[in-house]
Amino acid sequence: MRSPVQQYLQDIADRCGGTAGEVASYIPELAAADPDRFALALATVDGHVYTVGDAEVRYSIQSISKPFTYALALADQGAEAVAEKVDVEPSGEAFNEISLAAQTGRPRNPMINAGAITAASLVRGATGEERFNRVLEWYGAFAGRDLDVDEGVYGSELGTAHRNRAIAHMLREYEILEGDPEETLAQYIRQCAIAVDTRDLALMAATLANGGVQPVTGERVLETGSVERVLSVMATCGMYDAAGDWISTVGMPAKSGVSGGIIAVLPGQVGVAVFSPRLDAHGNSARGVQLCERMSRDMEMHLMHVGRSSHTAVRASYPLSHLASRRRRPDADQAVLAEHAERSRVYELHGDLLFAGAERVVRAVVDDEPELAVVDLRRVDDVAEVAGVTLLGLRALLREADSEAVVVDPQGVLPDPDAGTELATPRFDDLDAAVRWCEDELLRRHGGAPTTEQQLVDEHPLLRDLSAGARAVLDGELERLEVEEGSVVLEAGGGFAGVHVIVSGEAVATVDGPDGEPVRLVTMSPGTSFGELALGTGDVQETCIRAATDLVLLRLSSEAIERVTRERPDVALEMWQAMTRDGYRVADRALRAGLSRG
């Protein structure tokens, strides 16, 4: 089953396919790069990676190395010591500008070459080689695998590093660098030649998005405070003299490299990496910038977007078989459901549904490949537009596989553009009604005979589990009631008024919410009973029962129950045993549902 997220990434890669820009020409190895290479990767904070294009083609990391070496310097020396050597102010200059602060000699920030060379010198180690080996291991921890060096790029860049050599010697003159500047320069150029692929970069970005914990390995690589500092500098300085335009249009901390890579970080959600060697006038990947702008707009990734919590995800997921509806069914139908309900699932969501949350829902459904999927939105407060589009893509995907998604959405947080048409998603106000629809659909698909309303009534334990003689006695006590739509059948706070079995129509049970407005608990249909729970709450009816449609009921009144108990104790024993068994069935259903939710 193909994920709609994967399809979206492929679609925007196709739409953002410009050929503007030129490959970096000042380094011979980069000048020889294939300008039409392309890759896009998106890694979530729980370690799932989506890729498009040449995602496993390796190239030199170049300046994307800078935030990670800066992070290692922070880890080794502490923020105060690093700040004495390199500032964090935007320079507004090109990445290779030869300039230092007039009074202190400090580079403006660690994202320009002067600051990056300084950061490299602050990595702990007795020699340049020792420092570099620690850098290589450090990058591998972010990527989740061992990395190596493209020696051809290293040699090519070292032989043409005249401008960077001038910067290194100038830093030594101001005593920002200590020791041999040539050794530090070689270390810096070697770190820029570390070979990565676009999947590596996405996971390195996702490690920053995940607060410094590598999403796949689970290793904490960087402490949270340092992550915040690194991301802040990336946001203000990572795209050089285009940093202002980037943060206003894309709105994510980012870093580019002249080999054609860009990483972008959406904290708490995803890391993004793009590779396309054609560069714009600022030295950033032209196609990469275009793609990131499009993704930020489509997926509401801008940090300044008036947004909500990013932690929305699947609250619980469990098979339909763990949450049988309140409807009683004939044994033959129960056998069909027992065989097939395991392959349908309920997905409970909560909070505000942003892209990251919708992606997790989609991924869970794609992995499970359910026959029917119930998406429960009762605890969702808001759905971002991109999340809604993603879920609609999931609906189309399921239908292509002859599956279906249904939605529990009493507050209407997920509008359906197909509402009122045959393409609309089945939508319910409570979970029980959705489960009941799914059970009916499974029976339709797998040979269950249509169940009549009378069969549903006859399957109620109060009637089904009695001997013929006891059933005859109760039949004589049952009253047939007709209730108009909207009428209250039982008031909350009232006394025990008997057991009511629905023959036709639907009823809803509600309680008053904190704001005084009724909150729907469950929709009840033929074969369902209500009223008996008051026997366990001091004979007080705790919910309001209202007719959702015109209702036909069979009522065994409290007076009839008292009369049978007094005059026919043998029948009363069977009646109470049947009601007790049904009570245990309902309790077991609630317990299993609770365990399924964890």
Side-chain angles (χ1 to χ4, degrees):
M1 188 179 289
R2 183 176 175 85
S3 166
V5 176
Q6 181 70 45
Q7 186 60 55
Y8 165 76
L9 295 176
Q10 184 64 63
D11 289 346
I12 64 166
D14 292 341
R15 288 197 295 269
C16 300
T19 58
E22 301 293 337
V23 299
S25 58
Y26 64 93
I27 300 172
E29 283 287 325
L30 298 186
D34 182 349
D36 297 320
R37 284 283 193 191
F38 171 78
L40 167 64
L42 182 149
T44 66
V45 293
D46 63 347
H48 190 80
V49 183
Y50 298 91
T51 63
V52 175
D54 305 316
E56 296 183 356
V57 169
R58 296 187 184 179
Y59 44 91
S60 56
I61 192 170
Q62 293 299 323
S63 287
I64 296 176
S65 65
K66 292 174 180 176
F68 299 101
T69 298
Y70 177 58
L72 182 53
L74 291 172
D76 281 353
Q77 307 292 343
E80 289 187 10
V82 172
E84 291 177 0
K85 295 287 189 177
V86 58
D87 208 344
V88 291
E89 295 298 329
S91 68
E93 299 173 338
F95 65 93
N96 59 357
E97 188 68 21
I98 302 178
S99 67
L100 302 174
Q103 284 75 31
T104 65
R106 290 185 305 171
R108 295 291 185 186
N109 63 73
M111 300 298 112
I112 58 175
N113 288 7
I117 293 169
T118 302
S121 74
L122 295 174
V123 173
R124 192 171 59 243
T127 65
E129 182 178 1
E130 185 176 330
R131 292 193 296 270
F132 171 75
N133 287 335
R134 292 193 63 242
V135 166
L136 184 62
E137 182 179 357
W138 178 256
Y139 290 10
F142 277 88
R145 71 175 185 88
D146 292 337
L147 301 176
D148 52 26
V149 177
D150 185 326
E151 296 292 349
V153 170
Y154 170 61
S156 176
E157 193 165 355
L158 186 63
T160 56
H162 308 302
R163 193 178 189 89
N164 281 334
R165 181 167 281 106
I167 291 173
H169 282 271
M170 183 173 62
L171 289 168
R172 181 66 182 88
E173 179 67 19
Y174 277 90
E175 298 184 348
I176 297 298
L177 292 188
E178 300 174 8
D180 184 1
E182 291 291 332
E183 184 179 59
T184 303
L185 176 67
Q187 173 198 338
Y188 167 70
I189 291 176
R190 196 169 183 82
Q191 84 177 30
C192 291
I194 290 175
V196 292
D197 59 36
T198 308
R199 188 179 190 278
D200 293 330
L201 289 181
L203 282 169
M204 293 173 78
T207 302
L208 294 174
N210 199 32
V213 177
Q214 215 285 341
V216 176
T217 66
E219 176 188 358
R220 172 162 289 283
V221 185
L222 185 62
E223 293 302 316
T224 304
S226 294
V227 172
E228 293 171 355
R229 194 170 183 89
V230 169
L231 290 178
S232 298
V233 176
M234 288 172 65
T236 57
C237 311
M239 301 300 280
Y240 309 123
D241 48 335
D245 184 56
W246 173 275
I247 201 64
S248 63
T249 57
V250 179
M252 288 185 281
K255 189 69 197 77
S256 63
V258 293
S259 57
I262 293 178
I263 62 169
V265 177
L266 184 58
Q269 296 196 53
V270 297
V272 176
V274 187
F275 171 61
S276 180
R278 297 180 189 272
L279 307 181
D280 62 18
H282 304 285
N284 301 319
S285 169
R287 189 178 181 185
V289 170
Q290 183 187 11
L291 266 163
C292 289
E293 288 177 351
R294 180 61 181 264
M295 290 176 68
S296 176
R297 183 172 65 251
D298 288 355
M299 300 165 72
E300 298 181 4
M301 287 178 157
H302 200 296
L303 278 176
M304 306 308 171
H305 178 77
V306 181
R308 290 78 60 189
S309 168
S310 64
H311 297 293
T312 299
V314 179
R315 176 177 181 266
S317 170
Y318 45 89
L320 193 71
S321 58
H322 288 198
L323 193 63
S325 73
R326 289 167 55 93
R327 175 178 287 178
R328 284 82 175 178
R329 298 182 184 275
D331 290 344
D333 287 355
Q334 294 287 11
V336 173
L337 293 176
E339 181 180 355
H340 296 284
E342 194 73 19
R343 283 203 59 247
S344 296
R345 296 189 68 84
V346 177
Y347 302 89
E348 293 185 6
L349 314 183
H350 67 148
D352 288 330
L353 197 61
L354 309 182
F355 168 74
E359 183 276 331
R360 290 186 184 183
V361 177
V362 166
R363 178 151 38 99
V365 175
V366 168
D367 290 345
D368 293 338
E369 296 187 337
E371 184 171 3
L372 302 173
V374 179
V375 180
D376 185 355
L377 300 173
R378 289 176 297 165
R379 295 176 181 84
V380 170
D381 301 314
D382 193 20
V383 178
E385 182 178 354
V386 64
V389 171
T390 302
L391 292 179
L392 287 174
L394 175 62
R395 179 183 71 177
L397 185 72
L398 286 167
R399 288 177 176 175
E400 288 175 5
D402 195 29
S403 302
E404 183 62 271
V406 303
V407 173
V408 181
D409 187 13
Q411 304 302 320
V413 297
L414 181 63
D416 187 347
D418 298 316
T421 74
E422 61 182 12
L423 295 176
T425 299
R427 183 175 297 259
F428 303 93
D429 288 334
D430 59 74
L431 183 57
D432 192 75
V435 172
R436 190 168 62 247
W437 183 93
C438 289
E439 290 177 346
D440 290 341
E441 178 66 10
L442 289 174
L443 291 172
R444 184 189 69 79
R445 290 177 174 222
H446 298 290
T451 306
T452 66
E453 290 181 340
Q454 186 57 51
Q455 285 176 309
L456 293 171
V457 172
D458 290 340
E459 283 297 312
H460 192 283
L462 187 59
L463 305 176
R464 181 194 63 196
D465 295 345
L466 302 180
S467 65
R471 172 68 186 268
V473 171
L474 285 195
D475 281 347
E477 297 287 351
L478 288 168
E479 306 170 73
R480 186 178 178 88
L481 303 178
E482 294 184 1
V483 183
E484 291 186 354
E485 178 182 348
S487 299
V488 174
V489 183
L490 296 177
E491 288 277 10
F496 173 60
V499 179
H500 302 68
V501 180
I502 300 176
V503 176
S504 66
E506 291 187 337
V508 294
T510 63
V511 295
D512 287 341
D515 57 358
E517 292 297 315
V519 176
R520 184 189 297 247
L521 298 179
V522 67
T523 301
M524 297 172 285
S525 59
T528 304
S529 63
F530 57 85
E532 64 267 41
L533 292 181
L535 291 169
T537 55
D539 288 351
V540 176
Q541 177 67 33
E542 293 194 336
T543 59
C544 176
I545 308 296
R546 187 183 300 273
T549 66
D550 289 344
L551 274 178
V552 176
L553 302 170
L554 292 178
R555 181 176 69 179
L556 184 63
S557 68
S558 57
E559 295 81 7
I561 291 173
E562 290 178 5
R563 186 165 48 251
V564 171
T565 302
R566 183 176 61 253
E567 297 176 1
R568 293 295 305 270
D570 56 328
V571 174
L573 178 61
E574 290 190 41
M575 176 186 69
W576 288 113
Q577 286 177 333
M579 291 174 65
T580 301
R581 278 193 294 269
D582 189 45
Y584 278 122
R585 186 192 73 85
V586 173
D588 178 68
R589 169 178 171 268
L591 177 61
R592 287 198 294 164
L595 291 173
S596 298
R597 293 175 177 86

